[in-house]
Amino acid sequence: MNKIIVEVGSSCTKVDKFDGKNIKRLAEKTIQFKKHYNEEKKLRESDVSELIECIKELKNQYTDIYVCGTSIFRTLNDSEKNTFLEKFKTETGYNFDIISQEKENELTVLGTTRFVRDKVCVFIGGGGSTEITIYDKGIRESVNSKIGGIDVMQKFPDLAENFATTSLETIKAFIKEKLILPKEKANILILAGGGHEKFARYSGIQYEKNTLYNDEASPIMMDIETRKSETERYYKSISLDEIRARVNDPDWWYATRAMCAFVLVVAEEIGAKYIIPTNIAMAYGIVNTKQI
């Protein structure tokens, strides 16, 4: 049994395979839906076509495919939404399930906290939305904001240059003004919903083995002071051009400095001592709650 779960976000499309026991990330594809929508005030036809071609390629290998979308797709007006959904269904043969912000948060938190025993905060950062949850043997507090990495990039485009010219503190102040933050505190901040582990491994920032709990999908961590100093280094001293030259998905790195600032804003607000970057998205929660 192979079930394919495709999660289409504002900028990153994630493809996971569930074989009845384990979930494996098959691919990630950068399609800048949110960025291009902001520029053109409509979904770019080439972005929609690229997504459809991706699904068609998957159909050549698999038949059981579930496709869902978040963030940008929630903001479409009824006419835009219906046009997109009809086109997608006609050309792929599959439905496109638009997930509410609340449901996205719930599904991702379920997957992220499967092996967690302590009180934690789960941060789900995307291109156009942010969900933050305090979890302690269940969801205790949850806050959602309609701001994400692409919104920050529109205001501070220099963050995509080789080195940032706007200071990290300026970016954090901008985010803090607009982001809804939880009232409760937690020592552990888990990063989910996107390629946070991928970022840590390929950006050159420091990390260590996760010793707080055992989860194959959450293998690394760093203490808060390391994360702060390494984020400063990522802004000032780590060459984004060098990273983009050595990876196979250079466009994915566009908003990574913005996302780093989000992480610190949340970590500092909740008093986190440790940060655990993961690549966990909704797939784990979708499978565990038998959404497909």
Side-chain angles (χ1 to χ4, degrees), residues 132-152:
I132 308 168
T133 294
I134 301 293
Y135 180 93
D136 189 6
K137 300 177 181 62
I139 292 175
R140 291 174 57 95
E141 181 184 7
S142 202
V143 292
N144 302 327
S145 305
K146 290 183 170 126
I147 178 176
I150 300 302
D151 300 295
V152 174

Side-chain angles (χ1 to χ4, degrees), residues 94-95 104-105 144 152 168 181 189 207 216 241 256 262 275 279:
Y94 293 101
N95 292 321
E104 177 187 4
N105 180 51
N144 302 327
V152 174
L168 174 59
L181 291 159
L189 175 61
Y207 58 85
E216 289 184 357
D241 287 350
T256 49
F262 274 92
I275 295 176
N279 293 333

Side-chain angles (χ1 to χ4, degrees), residues 60-125:
N60 292 331
Q61 303 175 65
Y62 308 99
T63 56
D64 194 349
I65 301 174
Y66 170 75
V67 188
C68 61
T70 61
S71 192
I72 181 63
F73 300 99
R74 294 190 287 253
T75 67
L76 301 178
N77 63 43
D78 289 343
S79 176
E80 291 175 314
K81 190 179 297 182
N82 290 335
T83 298
F84 166 72
L85 293 176
E86 288 173 9
K87 179 180 177 67
F88 186 87
K89 178 64 180 285
T90 298
E91 298 198 22
T92 68
Y94 293 101
N95 292 321
F96 187 98
D97 190 8
I98 298 176
I99 306 292
S100 71
Q101 194 169 25
E102 293 75 19
K103 195 65 177 179
E104 177 187 4
N105 180 51
E106 178 187 342
L107 291 170
T108 308
V109 170
L110 281 173
T112 307
T113 56
R114 293 165 302 144
F115 303 107
V116 168
R117 298 291 177 265
D118 299 315
K119 184 179 184 181
V120 299
C121 177
V122 179
F123 165 86
I124 305 166

Side-chain angles (χ1 to χ4, degrees), residues 263-275:
V263 170
L264 286 187
V265 169
V266 176
E268 291 168 3
E269 180 69 19
I270 67 166
K273 296 179 180 178
Y274 303 100
I275 295 176

